[in-house]
Amino acid sequence: MRRWLAIGLAAALAPAGSVAEAQAVARSRPRLVVAIAVDQLRADYMERFRPYFGPGGFNLFLQRGANFAQARYEHSTTSTCPGHAVILTGSYGQNNGIIANNWFDVTRGRKTYCAEDTTTTLIGSTEPGRSPRNLFGATVGDVLKMNTGGRSKVVTVSAKDRSAIMLGGHLADAAYWIVDTLFVTSTYYRTELPAWAREFNASHPISKYFGRKWERLLPAAAYAGMGPDDEPAERDEAGLGRVFPHPVADGDAFDLSPFLNEVTAQFAMRAVTAEGLGKDTIPDLLGISFSANDRVGHAFGPESHEVMDVTVRLDRLLGRLFGFLDRTVGLANVMIVLTADHGVAPMPEVLARLHPGTTARRLNPAVIDTAVDAAMVARYGAAAAPGWIIYHDTPLLYLNRAALEAHRIPLEEAQEVARTAVLSVPGVHEALTAAELIRLRDGGAESGSVRSFHPARSGDVYYRLEPYWQADDEGAGTDHGSGWLYDQRVPLLWYGRGVGAGTYQGAAAVADIAPTLSAYLGLIGPGGAQGRVLREMMR
């Protein structure tokens, strides 16, 4: 895989322009690029919580950097793996193949996880490994590695494997994530953990938080604008309860606390010093994805005291991270970009309290299964087990190809029957068949649905619910994954030499990050990138 990628990239790596221009770029380009993704950080949090931000975290960007206030994703499957895949490839699922966290592989007849790789293992374990093999095309880190003959270092860190892997791309020196209470990586990257990572794990970085309580960072009065602390629609899990303080008794509770972000940052800072990132004129790349905000947001919702607290705590943590980078590398030598992989929807119950006229509801996806199966049985009769639907994970529904073949049913016809059934369910806003999406793609359409569609991986029917409706079989918490703005709008913040400070109100997309970073590094961006260079901020 790596040899193929090297051959495919080699012809497109030299900086454009004259030799003098290339030399000027080499002198001015950053020694270290830091790409930060915050899992589930809505754009409006930057204003809602700004009165409580300190001077060195988010305000580094908001006061001294560039803020693209209208930035968004332009795809519809706003989930973790697709979002992280966009950030440093500059492409959407239609090009990079990452259409969801999970999809159904029709050829192999089974569910596929976006970062799975059965040919590798976790280091020191027989557990299946993880890798970027399902990601089509290159990341900025891949292009950077090839441009410098492998001398640039690319290291990524997250609590989630898919987040670290999609930021790292195919040629990363290592992507690290958490399993149980330790940071691990896969044999795809290396044969053993480096000594510094083993030493970090030996310090019990996670279990030392067990027994602590998650208290509010600010005085309780500061959270009054968020509504009640005890919201019945919040998801009470891992023994945390619904109100402050939250006891952190074990690893499950730790994952739902802001301490998860703290340990991620500690490991990332250790990687900078141990790997010597940014220490010479050959640019390196550090990718960090903070996962706590997503886990807290799912359980407590965007109007909660907990989401406000984890965001303000992240602001303080970013301040410490940027201070560390200033001491070790020098911020004058660092380019930082911060974004998120997706936003989040308000809980329908909270929305109904704030806006009594809303029609938002929770919809159990099993209702869609029932409607589709009934329509297929009425048209074609019963199908052998497992029935007419082989896999369904909102917004993707896959029909049982073996049953269709056994009944000699044309695929496109069956897709239309299923689509009509999905549309009959109250709360469904739109449903498109794979055949329709192919025609739209071939006709040059650039909708969020088309950008999220890959013919070899996507389902037979793609659907989305009405605004603020949630596909949910639990009846608590909240989710994301739609093509509505509350899921698409995210921060896009820049800091570094050559970045024109200010707030930019023009259209911008997360897919613009990869082409823009490539321009600052003097590289031709990854092939297949669908974003543009944000020249309006370049100085």
Side-chain angles (χ1 to χ4, degrees):
M1 175 68 175
R2 294 186 179 210
R3 185 176 299 110
W4 170 85
L5 186 66
I7 294 171
L9 289 174
L13 294 177
S18 67
V19 173
E21 288 172 337
Q23 291 173 340
V25 167
R27 288 193 298 271
S28 64
R29 66 186 180 183
R31 293 186 178 187
L32 177 62
V33 169
V34 181
I36 299 174
V38 183
D39 203 322
Q40 195 185 122
L41 187 71
R42 273 194 349 202
D44 62 296
Y45 293 0
M46 293 299 96
E47 293 303 320
R48 288 173 64 192
F49 305 138
R50 189 171 181 180
Y52 307 103
F53 292 162
F58 289 116
N59 275 322
L60 177 72
F61 306 101
L62 298 175
Q63 294 177 352
R64 300 166 54 192
N67 171 22
F68 285 85
Q70 305 302 319
R72 57 185 283 254
Y73 281 93
E74 296 177 312
H75 64 185
S76 293
T77 312
T78 45
S79 299
T80 297
C81 210
H84 280 82
V86 171
I87 293 170
L88 292 182
T89 66
S91 64
Y92 295 102
Q94 68 181 135
N95 285 355
N96 65 42
I98 305 300
I99 60 164
N101 290 341
N102 302 284
W103 58 83
F104 189 80
D105 188 321
V106 175
T107 303
R108 292 187 288 180
R110 66 172 181 83
K111 173 182 173 181
T112 296
Y113 174 56
C114 64
E116 74 172 44
D117 186 352
T118 57
T119 68
T120 65
T121 60
L122 296 180
I123 286 180
S125 169
T126 58
E127 292 293 317
R130 297 285 186 256
S131 86
R133 293 188 194 276
N134 287 325
L135 176 69
F136 300 146
T139 63
V140 172
D142 293 332
V143 177
L144 182 62
K145 291 283 285 189
M146 288 303 304
N147 184 259
T148 62
R151 292 177 295 167
S152 291
K153 292 184 177 180
V154 176
V155 177
T156 60
V157 181
S158 179
K160 296 182 181 181
D161 52 18
R162 58 185 178 270
S163 304
I165 287 167
M166 294 301 147
L167 289 179
H170 299 274
L171 302 181
D173 295 273
Y176 298 99
W177 59 90
I178 296 173
V179 173
D180 296 326
T181 59
L182 302 174
F183 280 91
V184 303
T185 191
S186 161
T187 54
Y188 173 89
Y189 299 101
R190 54 199 316 148
T191 57
E192 63 178 1
L193 279 177
W196 65 266
R198 296 197 302 270
E199 291 169 4
F200 187 91
N201 284 335
S203 70
H204 306 291
I206 292 173
S207 57
K208 69 183 181 184
Y209 286 90
F210 297 172
R212 291 181 58 174
K213 289 183 178 180
W214 172 17
E215 306 269 7
R216 290 183 179 90
L217 179 67
L218 304 173
Y223 301 80
M226 301 300 290
D229 185 20
D230 190 3
E231 168 56 56
E234 292 175 350
R235 189 184 302 151
D236 184 0
E237 58 182 289
L240 284 176
R242 294 202 307 250
V243 298
F244 278 104
H246 297 291
V248 180
D250 54 23
D252 291 337
F254 174 85
D255 285 348
L256 276 160
S257 78
F259 305 136
L260 182 65
N261 283 345
E262 291 188 15
V263 172
T264 302
Q266 291 165 9
F267 189 88
M269 289 188 281
R270 185 71 186 93
V272 170
T273 55
E275 298 289 347
L277 302 183
K279 285 298 185 183
D280 55 35
T281 58
I282 300 170
D284 300 318
L285 189 149
L286 172 67
I288 311 173
S289 178
F290 291 107
S291 304
N293 298 64
D294 183 66
R295 289 169 174 171
V296 171
H298 275 292
F300 297 100
E303 310 301 332
S304 66
H305 292 213
E306 288 80 4
V307 160
M308 176 176 169
D309 195 76
V310 75
T311 306
V312 175
R313 284 177 176 271
L314 177 61
D315 172 70
R316 304 298 192 272
L317 183 61
L318 290 173
R320 295 198 295 274
L321 172 64
F322 300 154
F324 163 83
L325 291 173
D326 195 22
R327 294 189 301 273
T328 55
V329 182
L331 282 183
N333 301 313
V334 180
M335 172 73 68
I336 310 172
V337 58
L338 184 147
T339 190
D341 57 349
H342 52 72
V344 69
M347 292 186 292
E349 297 80 4
V350 173
L351 190 66
R353 187 181 72 241
L354 298 175
H355 304 281
T358 183
T359 60
R361 299 286 186 274
R362 296 180 187 269
L363 174 64
N364 190 330
V367 175
I368 291 178
D369 290 341
T370 300
V372 171
D373 190 67
M376 295 291 287
V377 169
R379 181 73 171 266
Y380 304 116
W388 287 112
I389 300 172
I390 195 72
Y391 181 78
H392 177 201
D393 187 4
T394 305
L396 303 173
L397 186 144
Y398 297 74
L399 296 173
N400 186 341
R401 300 296 177 88
L404 295 179
E405 291 174 5
H407 287 72
R408 298 182 179 179
I409 301 169
L411 177 60
E412 189 168 343
E413 176 187 305
Q415 289 175 349
E416 183 58 34
V417 172
R419 183 192 78 89
T420 301
V422 171
L423 279 173
S424 73
V425 176
V428 174
H429 174 81
E430 176 187 50
L432 297 166
T433 67
E436 286 179 291
L437 285 165
I438 289 172
R439 287 193 290 269
L440 288 168
R441 179 204 63 183
D442 293 346
E446 295 185 349
S447 68
S449 303
V450 169
R451 290 189 183 95
S452 297
F453 174 77
H454 193 284
R457 292 179 173 176
S458 293
D460 292 295
V461 178
Y462 167 88
Y463 68 91
R464 61 173 172 158
L465 304 182
E466 295 286 355
Y468 302 109
W469 281 65
Q470 288 189 28
D472 176 32
D473 59 1
E474 297 183 17
T478 189
D479 206 352
H480 49 82
S482 78
W484 301 112
L485 280 178
Y486 50 77
D487 282 342
Q488 290 183 326
R489 289 274 318 280
V490 293
L492 179 52
L493 308 172
W494 296 79
Y495 176 86
R497 182 189 301 167
V499 170
T503 298
Y504 297 82
Q505 296 292 349
V510 176
D512 300 336
I513 291 174
T516 304
L517 280 178
S518 298
Y520 275 116
L521 289 165
L523 307 173
I524 296 174
Q530 294 167 271
R532 67 179 179 90
V533 176
L534 296 169
R535 298 193 183 280
E536 59 267 41
M537 78 164 178
M538 298 183 73
R539 299 290 182 266

